[in-house]
Amino acid sequence: DINKISIVLVIFSISQEVLDYLNRIFLDPNYMISWQRDLPFHFCHIAFYFSIVVIYNKVKNSSNNNKDSNQTVFLFESAYLLGLSGALQGIFTPDLENIHNFIGILCGQLQHSLIILNVFWLMFAYGMKLRFKGIIYTYLFVNLIAPIAILLNYMLGTNSNEDPANYLYVMELPKVDNVLVNFVSDKPFPDFILYIQPLIIIYLLFLYLPFFIINYNKLK
């Protein structure tokens, strides 16, 4: 049953997140939890929570055949675009700078994998698709919350270990060997935010390509 599997996915996803924070607080003696580092405010977090909410909404509304609300569609499209762009990079080039034990590595990789799993489940189990205007909405959303993250990072400052707040990686790029990051890694803050804009647009268009091909074939 599709809805039962969906419930399992939601429970498993939330359990992973709980384990991640339990590890930071109690199980990793070398980690100091702080407001500057541990709020769930990165693009992967956003995609992760968006995907969970959409799955929950699909289960809740399974008894009727109404179309998805605009909010649900937006959450799915953002989860797909932010998730597949950020999660794939997080899997292949993980930022392990503040991770000190196996559970931390497991939770990080598991969260990124669950983003992809949840999104593909929504696509294949519930038939959700990306619209072209979903690219526009997600791009605007990214640039809307980036200034909020900059302001939050300035307000929070540094923790007792002198680690600065860097939510959404808008103050400093992650220290990973990543092809996309390397394109702008030599640019200081805030210049790299402007230089990365074309890369974001290209990446979003690339993620839309499968849906463009499907729609094109339907019109033939």
Side-chain angles (χ1 to χ4, degrees), residues 86-94 108-109 112-113 116:
L88 288 174
Q89 295 179 56
I91 290 172
F92 293 116
T93 57
Q109 294 292 72
H112 291 127
S113 300
I116 298 172

Side-chain angles (χ1 to χ4, degrees), residues 189-200:
F189 169 82
D191 294 0
F192 70 79
I193 297 176
L194 298 177
Y195 280 95
I196 207 170
Q197 296 296 318
L199 297 178
I200 294 174

Side-chain angles (χ1 to χ4, degrees), residues 193-209:
I193 297 176
L194 298 177
Y195 280 95
I196 207 170
Q197 296 296 318
L199 297 178
I200 294 174
I201 295 172
I202 292 172
Y203 209 122
L204 296 182
L205 289 173
F206 176 78
L207 291 173
Y208 176 70
L209 185 60

Side-chain angles (χ1 to χ4, degrees), residues 11-151:
I11 293 174
F12 187 68
S13 297
I14 294 174
S15 298
Q16 176 279 142
E17 196 74 349
V18 171
L19 176 60
D20 184 23
Y21 277 94
L22 287 176
N23 179 60
R24 300 185 200 196
I25 298 170
F26 299 111
L27 303 178
D28 185 350
N30 297 314
Y31 191 87
M32 186 195 71
I33 195 164
S34 66
W35 294 107
Q36 288 78 9
R37 288 285 169 165
D38 296 287
L39 295 177
F41 191 35
H42 284 290
F43 287 122
C44 285
H45 286 115
I46 293 170
F48 180 68
Y49 290 124
F50 278 10
S51 71
I52 293 174
V53 171
V54 177
I55 294 175
Y56 172 78
N57 286 343
K58 299 297 284 188
V59 173
K60 185 178 69 172
N61 299 324
S62 61
S63 59
N64 59 63
N65 295 319
N66 295 334
K67 291 179 62 177
D68 292 321
S69 66
N70 291 332
Q71 292 87 347
T72 296
V73 173
F74 167 74
L75 293 179
F76 164 74
E77 291 174 334
S78 292
Y80 171 82
L81 292 169
L82 297 179
L84 265 67
S85 57
L88 288 174
Q89 295 179 56
I91 290 172
F92 293 116
T93 57
D95 181 7
L96 303 177
E97 185 177 10
N98 292 296
I99 296 178
H100 309 106
N101 62 7
F102 173 75
I103 297 178
I105 296 173
L106 176 65
C107 287
Q109 294 292 72
L110 192 56
Q111 186 197 65
H112 291 127
S113 300
L114 281 170
I115 296 170
I116 298 172
L117 176 61
N118 289 349
V119 166
F120 274 92
W121 176 250
L122 287 165
M123 291 166 54
F124 292 109
Y126 293 104
M128 301 197 75
K129 298 178 177 65
L130 173 66
R131 307 164 301 170
F132 180 77
K133 62 183 177 181
I135 297 176
I136 299 173
Y137 293 153
T138 300
Y139 178 74
L140 292 175
F141 173 68
V142 166
N143 284 280
L144 176 66
I145 63 175
I148 297 174
I150 293 173
L151 178 61

